[in-house]
Amino acid sequence: AQSVSQHNHHVILSEAASLELGCNYSYGGTVNLFWYVQYPGQHLQLLLKYFSGDPLVKGIKGFEAEFIKSKFSFNLRKPSVQWSDTAEYFCAVTVSSSARQLTFGSGTQLTVLP
Amino acid sequence: DVKVTQSSRYLVKRTGEKVFLECVQDMDHENMFWYRQDPGLGLRLIYFSYDVKMKEKGDIPEGYSVSREKKERFSLILESASTNQTSMYLCASSSPSGLAGQETQYFGPGTRLLVL
């Protein structure tokens, strides 16, 4: 079965710092990759997703992610974080063998200090 | 906007009680899902449904059952609640688009269940 690893459990940054959250998956076939975000007190919502084509995808609020197939990675980046980016971020994947089942990583709590 | 609502935000139950968690979506989505969210474990899929009266087990179905009698409603049932089922429960829905597995899931606000 596929799995998703997010090695950073809690990241603390100051405003204007650059962000990179790691995400690695284990599956040798075709994958669809997602980043979801949960702001404090709000619903989990989609940040961005990658299916095929340009491996650099842009999402909402200035976030982007790069799919590197050789490294089984889909890291999330933002050049300059804001206090409002404080949230929990989840990487997730669907695979061809169980297409509708979204497998999530354990999440990364990002705290941005003003 | 897609709206997924869950019947309770907070729920306290006793061990052995039968617990019903209700989820309703207003966008005529075919797919509905139940997850539990635990610190350090992320979200884990309990059950999902592609259509009315249809259900499939996810990764952790033990101790749970589901019901989908109407397209917009998906219920999670804890037949006999136990303390290890204390958790945040999230419902989600999606509509088939493009290839399977590429759909965006829309989540409800969650129900925080405490089993004493």
Side-chain angles (χ1 to χ4, degrees):
Chain A
Q2 68 273 17
S3 65
V4 178
S5 298
Q6 293 181 247
H7 302 293
N8 309 109
H9 298 296
H10 195 179
V11 173
I12 301 174
L13 296 173
S14 297
E15 275 194 316
S18 65
L19 169 72
E20 181 160 3
L21 300 182
C23 172
N24 290 90
Y25 64 91
S26 64
Y27 185 76
T30 303
V31 294
N32 302 302
L33 295 154
F34 304 79
W35 276 98
Y36 281 82
V37 61
Q38 190 171 35
Y39 297 103
Q42 294 189 27
H43 302 197
L44 199 67
Q45 60 184 285
L46 181 71
L47 202 52
L48 51 79
K49 57 188 177 182
Y50 172 79
F51 305 145
S52 62
D54 188 343
L56 185 63
V57 292
K58 296 191 184 299
I60 61 172
K61 305 189 180 188
F63 285 91
E64 64 179 31
E66 185 175 13
F67 171 56
I68 302 179
K69 190 174 182 180
S70 60
K71 294 185 178 180
F72 298 88
S73 71
F74 190 56
N75 291 355
L76 182 70
R77 301 196 293 244
K78 186 171 184 179
S80 176
V81 295
Q82 301 173 309
W83 176 77
S84 58
D85 293 325
T86 294
E88 190 158 20
Y89 293 81
F90 294 92
C91 183
V93 63
T94 61
V95 301
S96 54
S97 59
S98 54
R100 289 187 179 85
Q101 288 193 235
L102 198 54
T103 298
F104 284 85
S106 56
T108 297
Q109 175 64 48
L110 172 66
T111 300
V112 180
L113 303 174
Chain B
D1 276 353
V2 176
K3 193 166 185 183
V4 180
T5 57
Q6 296 184 229
S7 50
S8 306
R9 292 300 301 269
Y10 301 95
L11 211 52
V12 181
K13 295 292 181 181
R14 297 213 173 268
T15 302
E17 280 193 75
K18 191 168 186 176
V19 182
F20 292 87
L21 303 182
E22 304 286 338
C23 174
V24 178
Q25 49 91 6
D26 67 355
M27 284 300 292
D28 202 35
H29 283 173
E30 286 81 357
N31 307 322
M32 296 189 75
F33 307 83
W34 274 107
Y35 296 89
R36 62 177 284 175
Q37 181 180 8
D38 299 289
L41 296 177
L43 280 75
R44 291 177 292 166
L45 182 64
I46 304 171
Y47 267 98
F48 58 105
S49 169
Y50 297 153
D51 202 351
V52 174
K53 296 192 185 295
M54 178 274 171
K55 61 185 179 184
E56 285 203 27
K57 293 180 180 179
D59 297 320
I60 51 164
E62 296 79 16
Y64 304 94
S65 62
V66 290
S67 172
R68 193 164 181 202
E69 296 296 319
K70 293 185 178 181
K71 189 175 186 180
E72 68 271 19
R73 188 180 298 271
F74 191 36
S75 303
L76 179 69
I77 303 156
L78 287 65
E79 295 289 343
S80 177
S82 63
T83 55
N84 63 11
Q85 292 179 309
T86 290
S87 186
M88 171 72 89
Y89 290 88
L90 296 179
C91 176
S93 72
S94 70
S95 186
S97 60
L99 296 176
Q102 296 183 354
E103 305 92 348
T104 296
Q105 290 191 17
Y106 296 88
F107 286 83
T111 295
R112 191 168 292 281
L113 173 66
L114 173 62
V115 181
L116 301 174

